[in-house]
Amino acid sequence: MEYVSTRGEAPAVSAAQAILRGLAPDGGLYVPNQWPTLHLDLKTIGQQSYQDLAVEIFAAFLPDFTKAEIQAVVQAAYGSQWDTDKIVPIKDAGNNLYYLELFHGPTLAFKDIALQALPHLVMTAAKKEGLNKEIAILTATSGDTGTAAMAGFADVPGTKIAVLYPQVGVSDIQRQQMVSEPGKNTYVYGIEGNFDDAQQAVKGLLGDSNFATFLKEEDIQISSANSINIGRLVPQIVYYFYGYGQLVESGQIKPGEEIDVLVPTGNFGNMLAAYYASQIGLPVADFTVASNENHVLTELFQTGVYNKNRDFKVTNAPAMDILVSSNLERLLYFAGGQDADLIKKDMADLQSQGSYHLAEKTRAGLMKFSAGWTDQDQVEETIRKTFVASGYLIDPHTAVAVHQYQDDGHPTLLAATASPYKFPQTVLAALGEEVIGGEGGLTALAAATKTTIPDQVKNLFQRPIRHQTFIQAADIQRQIESALKTD
Ligand SMILES: *Cc1c(COP(=O)(O)O)cnc(C)c1O
């Protein structure tokens, strides 16, 4: 198995090369040229540890990595930095609904699952490729990627990581996690504008020829921590199987029985991982894509038209505030029968006019997908209702998905993507409590709900502030270059 570009104009590469590059040189995304065959026994996967299951799935998608290399990555990624041995526990919500809790890692959001593994995948890949350069990670974040990427790369020798976050949209906890990040190789910049502006700035820099010359002179290899990197997708496939195994173990489903998957979606990485899982043997009947008020994807799945020509909304589920959902390209590639010319045309239309129409055959390949969106008031109402009905506290992103849930008879795995303690202000507002900013929000939430503040954020506001740089768009290149130059 090798990795090829969705746009068909780049040579096939090994998994190690795909991880190091992030994006393919023709602008496409790397996808497997065939689905690996796994011999996962759905009857017994629930008896395996998360780590053992991860080793099997990583090995299938990274055929050029040795078993020992994969074991080392998995061991480093899924150890004592998680607050539960299960890594992703399940909560039965009744009515055939099960929360797959993906937020038990160091930064309390699901991105830890991939970003605790990615640095080790990148460093192993570099070693395999004989690369001796320093590796720099440049990432735009709406809040969760930046915190999780820094937690993963902090003090990893041979790497530096720079994160750009937008002034508007990040929560108090996310901001504090970033500006107090202690890793000596981490650099954090606030920039004016929203997430798309931050993303635009990073893309602009990566496409700039002066910056390319700088990297060459300084002998630096740039890589990506965004979910376009297959090194982020592969780790996410694991938890869908692990969740399924838990349902079998507890007698909720029979081995082989179909389930539904419901995912709050932004850049489409999480949902894509569920689709990949289904391609290698996870029995999934329906995929439901839940969006917030930036509902480009709802429209796509309902009408076959992708149209990003609309206002960007800053919402109370900020990690899903996005108008260009990168990983969708990978789904469309497979749905349309691996037709790279078609993808190239659609992406050219997106570039030139901000929209494209799916071909009939691609729509036909998306029959198992449905979509819906949840507005900000519904998010708050869902948080409140869920808590009142069951005492279970959910975060705003999870609420976007919960609001879309309908019991169709299939057991449903719902991706619970963040801890409510990552967004205490929104959760307090939803519960009708006084909204308190900063650290006070944590204690107020604990008092109002009789739940406990997770250890991961308990002392967050005692950490010294290390990054206070706010920069103008015009100054980004100079700042990043000077950060990458320092020893
Ligand atoms: C990133 C994120 C999402 C969106 O996930 P994608 O893989 O980008 O679709 C949803 N919820 C939370 C809490 C996130 O951090």
Side-chain angles (χ1 to χ4, degrees):
M1 189 190 93
E2 286 184 306
Y3 285 85
V4 294
S5 166
T6 47
R7 302 193 192 170
E9 292 190 331
V13 296
S14 66
Q17 288 163 335
I19 288 170
L20 288 173
R21 287 194 190 158
L23 208 61
D26 62 356
L29 303 186
Y30 283 117
V31 285
N33 64 349
Q34 60 181 81
W35 295 110
T37 358
L38 268 92
H39 302 284
L40 292 174
D41 181 357
L42 297 177
K43 261 202 269 331
T44 56
I45 49 171
Q47 293 156 18
Q48 272 179 292
S49 69
Y50 190 90
Q51 293 79 1
D52 287 349
L53 190 58
V55 167
E56 279 192 56
I57 291 171
F58 279 47
F61 280 92
L62 311 171
D64 48 323
F65 284 57
T66 66
K67 186 85 184 259
E69 286 168 340
I70 288 172
Q71 279 167 336
V73 169
V74 166
Q75 202 177 7
Y78 307 111
S80 60
Q81 69 271 50
W82 296 80
D83 65 22
T84 156
D85 289 345
K86 283 192 163 344
I87 310 297
V88 295
I90 282 191
K91 289 269 154 50
D92 184 348
N95 296 324
N96 273 323
L97 180 64
Y98 300 89
Y99 297 112
L100 184 58
E101 293 189 344
L102 304 175
F103 51 76
H104 290 273
T107 71
L108 299 181
F110 90 98
K111 293 186 175 74
D112 285 327
I113 292 176
L115 285 163
Q116 285 296 304
L118 186 70
H120 306 287
L121 289 171
V122 168
M123 295 319 283
T124 310
K127 202 151 90 210
K128 297 178 82 63
E129 295 295 309
L131 198 79
N132 286 319
K133 299 177 173 194
E134 178 169 75
I135 293 175
I137 304 288
L138 199 53
T139 287
T141 183
S142 57
D144 284 340
T145 298
T147 56
M150 285 194 289
F153 280 94
D155 298 324
V156 172
T159 71
K160 279 201 181 117
I161 174 163
V163 168
L164 295 181
Y165 72 92
Q167 201 167 16
V168 283
V170 299
S171 80
D172 285 6
I173 302 290
Q174 290 173 319
R175 182 179 303 103
Q176 179 68 14
Q177 282 176 323
M178 289 191 277
V179 298
S180 68
E181 166 56 54
K184 296 208 170 46
N185 59 341
T186 61
Y187 301 86
V188 179
Y189 306 99
I191 69 148
E192 223 170 281
N194 60 38
F195 170 65
D196 270 5
D197 298 320
Q199 175 132 307
Q200 225 30 62
V202 168
K203 282 188 180 157
L205 203 50
L206 293 181
D208 185 282
S209 59
N210 286 327
F211 189 61
T213 311
F214 164 81
L215 294 173
K216 204 169 202 165
E217 282 170 5
E218 296 289 323
D219 209 21
I220 296 170
Q221 160 94 22
I222 283 274
S223 189
S224 170
N226 284 104
S227 59
I228 51 141
N229 195 315
I230 63 128
R232 265 194 65 179
L233 278 176
V234 172
Q236 296 182 190
I237 299 169
V238 179
Y239 50 73
Y240 289 105
F241 280 99
Y242 189 76
Y244 188 94
Q246 297 308 296
L247 292 179
V248 171
E249 267 308 281
S250 60
Q252 314 282 3
I253 56 171
K254 292 188 202 61
E257 187 178 337
E258 284 189 322
I259 59 165
D260 291 342
V261 172
L262 169 51
V263 177
T265 302
N267 214 16
F268 211 78
N270 203 356
M271 188 45 116
L272 188 79
Y275 174 76
Y276 275 24
S278 76
Q279 296 301 304
I280 60 165
L282 188 74
V284 180
D286 288 302
F287 301 85
T288 305
V289 180
S291 298
N292 64 19
E293 288 168 23
N294 298 288
H295 46 79
V296 197
L297 290 171
T298 309
E299 193 172 287
L300 174 86
F301 286 102
Q302 289 177 355
T303 68
V305 178
Y306 194 101
N307 184 2
K308 73 161 181 133
N309 300 315
R310 61 182 80 214
D311 287 338
F312 180 99
K313 302 239 171 78
V314 175
T315 76
N316 55 12
M320 299 159 64
D321 291 346
I322 183 165
L323 295 179
V324 178
S325 196
S326 313
N327 273 300
L328 181 70
E329 180 171 342
R330 286 184 161 117
L331 174 67
L332 300 180
Y333 176 78
F334 289 106
Q338 286 144 288
D339 185 342
D341 288 340
L342 193 54
I343 297 291
K344 211 169 64 186
K345 188 185 159 300
D346 285 349
M347 295 306 138
D349 288 351
L350 182 65
Q351 182 79 29
S352 62
Q353 59 204 24
S355 69
Y356 57 87
H357 289 243
L358 292 184
E360 272 315 307
K361 66 171 181 182
T362 308
R363 288 197 77 182
L366 297 174
M367 298 298 277
K368 286 187 166 189
F369 283 81
S370 61
W373 65 279
T374 304
D375 71 28
Q376 299 191 70
D377 291 341
Q378 290 165 333
V379 164
E380 289 200 1
E381 183 189 301
T382 305
I383 292 171
R384 183 173 47 77
K385 277 191 178 163
T386 305
F387 184 68
V388 169
S390 64
Y392 187 69
L393 202 56
I394 57 176
D395 100 289
H397 305 79
T398 306
V400 165
V402 172
H403 185 72
Q404 297 301 322
Y405 178 64
Q406 284 166 351
D407 186 359
D408 69 354
H410 290 129
T412 297
L413 274 184
L414 184 149
T417 49
S419 160
Y421 278 92
K422 201 154 186 184
F423 303 93
Q425 284 72 34
T426 301
V427 178
L428 284 167
L431 298 175
E433 300 285 335
E434 189 192 344
V435 177
I436 301 171
E439 181 165 27
L442 294 171
T443 34
L445 186 58
T449 59
K450 308 210 163 37
T451 55
T452 342
I453 302 175
D455 285 344
Q456 290 93 324
V457 290
K458 206 170 260 165
N459 298 317
L460 185 62
F461 288 87
Q462 272 79 63
R463 300 204 306 199
I465 307 287
R466 285 198 55 238
H467 314 270
Q468 336 199 28
T469 323
F470 245 97
I471 52 181
Q472 304 288 323
D475 207 26
I476 289 172
Q477 179 158 350
R478 194 184 60 79
Q479 288 279 355
I480 301 258
E481 287 188 2
S482 92
L484 296 183
K485 262 192 195 158
T486 54
D487 294 319

